[in-house]
Amino acid sequence: MSDCFDYSSDDTEHDDQYGDKAFDNNQYDEDDFYHSDDQHSGRIQLSDYASEEESFNSNVVDSPSGKTKLWKPIVPKEFMPDVDATYQSLEEAVEMYKLYADKAGFGVMLNTVTRFGDKTIKKMYVVCNKMGKIPNRSTDTLDPEGTGRNKRNSNFRITDCKALIKFERLLMRTNACKIYEFEEKHNHPLETKEERRYSKRARRLSYKDKEFIVCSSTYTHKLQASLQGGYENVGPEAIDYKNFRRKMGNIIGDKHAQLVVDKMNMRKDKLPNYTFEYKCVDSVLNARFWANETDMLYYKKFRDVISFDATFRTNKYGMAFVPFTAIDNHKCSINIGVGLLSNESIESYRWLLEAFLKAHGKHPQLVLTDQDPTILQAVEAIFPSSNHRLSMIYTVYPIFLKNTNFQKRFTKLVWNVYIEPEVFESRWELLMRRFKLHDKRWFKDMYRDRKLWIPAYFKDMPLHSLMKTTSRSKSVNSFFNKYFNSGNLLIYFMMNYNTAIGKQRNGQQKLEHDTKNAKHEMMLPSGLLEHAATVYTKTVFYEVKKEIFKAAWYCSIDSVEMIDG
């Protein structure tokens, strides 16, 4: 526990007859409270207490003052604590409350303990892990920027939640105890079943987890040895694993493509909103596109700007891997569909974009690609109503010449998102004159295509600045390449892809969870920041917060006048 939290209780009793002594809460830690005596038994899962079928929610009610909201757990009656209920021991009573907390969706921690003169516990408080007062940090209004030092973006887990339960022993020399106070309402949303794996308890490393981290090899035999507790517990040798993999490949043979197609068609038939398209040429798999329900949902929400770029060396047959990338409300790259192409012809890209459009139904507002002429023609043909933009990386790269003066001027001009197109054209002309570049073919071509890559021509388009280069696509490709191998059969490629996309989706869910549970430090007295915190995700809020802060401290009204009454 942090020492700055005030966990003292106003109603802690001190009985002179038994020599009560208050116990310092700060020596307790939430990890210790959830500690398992048998570290070899593995991770303690929430499912130890709650079955997979069960899912509980909460009711939102007004506080007595009517100014705030409170969350009241909806839990089956048999798990609800009852005031005056008795238990054989404090341990049994605490386990009961931990079970109730797991069902309701919140974490608990030990708070206050009072003892008899013989050191045995008289009373014990177990509270919500979001209990505690938020530290009051002052801001120097004369130096809002903090003398130029970078400030860490921080938020608080605690919300000063008042939910708790209080136990007391019935008699001094007995273990039996009872509940004498119970507050069930929380001042924060409760965790859903899907979010509970992010709780501190669920994230505790078991002995096997730690052993796995030490033995982090990707080879199956080494992983199996770690899982089994040592090489002596693994019967087959490493060569046996290699032989089995080779025999598996021989059995699959040329059927691997058909196996993948059959598997994808099965998903298409059984899963809602799953799309899969493929094309064969002379009975050979030539192209495929697929997108699942999550991809569809992401595209509906974040189809403002998308990009795609091909990468190779992902499978044994050299098929180009083409993921479609968008940006979500956390400013993170997300996958909205995937393609595999045996070649990068105009026909292949046209087929791929047609499959993408068939799956999602609507054109993207802006498509960002590199200068590949086959992609340019395919985008113009299939997405006629979309704005097409070229990546700034490929257009600017050749100009990094030895003349640093020209380099600085040119870069400043082409990356400027604030000037109008007319201003850009006049400054371009002046720059070409000064450095005598009118006759250079590359500059002529780039000026001719200026409406495809210069930010000034996109400034009227919403969210046009989300992506200016295909670097996000390349970053996504790099992410996927960590899971792929150039020697993989397509069936292994798909297994690795599922693992990679699962990791990406888990990151998205973690960001949603963090946003939901973030308690931000408000540095302005107005309610503007509070409102922004409810509208934006945590990542975006930090950026908006900076702009609001600048506006509050550096903007002022010069004069006010009335015109025409």
Side-chain angles (χ1 to χ4, degrees), residues 70-210:
L70 297 175
W71 281 259
K72 182 179 179 181
I74 301 176
V75 175
K77 187 176 181 180
E78 60 267 26
F79 299 106
M80 285 288 296
D82 292 323
V83 176
D84 294 328
T86 60
Y87 299 88
Q88 295 299 318
S89 66
L90 276 173
E91 291 76 13
E92 179 184 350
V94 170
E95 284 301 316
M96 175 279 303
Y97 191 63
K98 288 163 66 175
L99 174 58
Y100 164 78
D102 288 335
K103 297 284 186 180
F106 66 93
V108 295
M109 60 185 180
L110 185 61
N111 182 244
T112 300
V113 173
T114 47
R115 297 179 180 271
F116 293 107
D118 60 356
K119 304 299 182 180
T120 58
I121 296 176
K122 178 184 180 184
K123 294 182 179 182
M124 176 184 291
Y125 300 176
V126 182
V127 301
C128 173
N129 65 352
K130 291 184 181 291
M131 179 185 181
K133 296 186 181 299
I134 298 175
N136 184 17
R137 298 178 180 176
S138 60
T139 302
D140 186 356
T141 58
L142 299 180
D143 183 21
E145 289 298 311
T147 64
R149 293 179 297 176
N150 291 329
K151 292 187 176 181
R152 178 182 178 185
N153 288 324
S154 61
N155 59 84
F156 305 100
R157 183 189 68 180
I158 56 177
T159 62
D160 199 22
C161 183
K162 303 300 184 184
L164 84 169
I165 193 168
K166 298 181 180 181
F167 303 104
E168 67 175 354
R169 288 187 186 274
L170 297 179
L171 297 172
M172 180 177 178
R173 302 188 184 281
T174 63
N175 291 327
C177 66
K178 73 172 184 176
I179 301 172
Y180 73 96
E181 185 175 336
F182 171 52
E183 175 54 55
E184 62 178 321
K185 296 176 183 177
H186 299 253
N187 67 352
H188 57 87
L190 303 180
E191 293 178 341
T192 63
K193 184 175 70 174
E194 292 75 18
E195 292 176 322
R196 294 177 194 176
R197 58 195 173 109
Y198 299 117
S199 67
K200 196 168 185 178
R201 179 186 181 191
R203 291 167 56 189
R204 285 188 63 248
L205 291 176
S206 68
Y207 179 83
K208 289 185 178 180
D209 291 326
K210 296 174 182 177

Side-chain angles (χ1 to χ4, degrees), residues 1 6 51-52 76-78 85 88 144 277 279 290 377 430 556:
M1 302 300 173
D6 181 12
S51 65
E52 289 295 323
K77 187 176 181 180
E78 60 267 26
Q88 295 299 318
E277 302 290 336
K279 181 180 72 169
W290 69 97
Q377 294 184 48
L430 291 174
S556 60

Side-chain angles (χ1 to χ4, degrees), residues 22 49 69 89 110 120 123 155 164 216 273 330 360 393 435 476 537:
Y49 301 107
K69 299 293 184 181
S89 66
L110 185 61
T120 58
K123 294 182 179 182
N155 59 84
L164 84 169
S216 58
N273 297 325
H330 300 279
H360 294 297
I393 291 179
F435 292 95
V476 169
T537 61

Side-chain angles (χ1 to χ4, degrees), residues 19-34:
D20 278 7
K21 294 183 181 179
F23 199 74
D24 184 8
N25 167 73
N26 288 334
Q27 68 176 297
Y28 285 90
D29 183 79
E30 190 175 348
D31 278 344
D32 294 331
F33 194 56
Y34 281 126

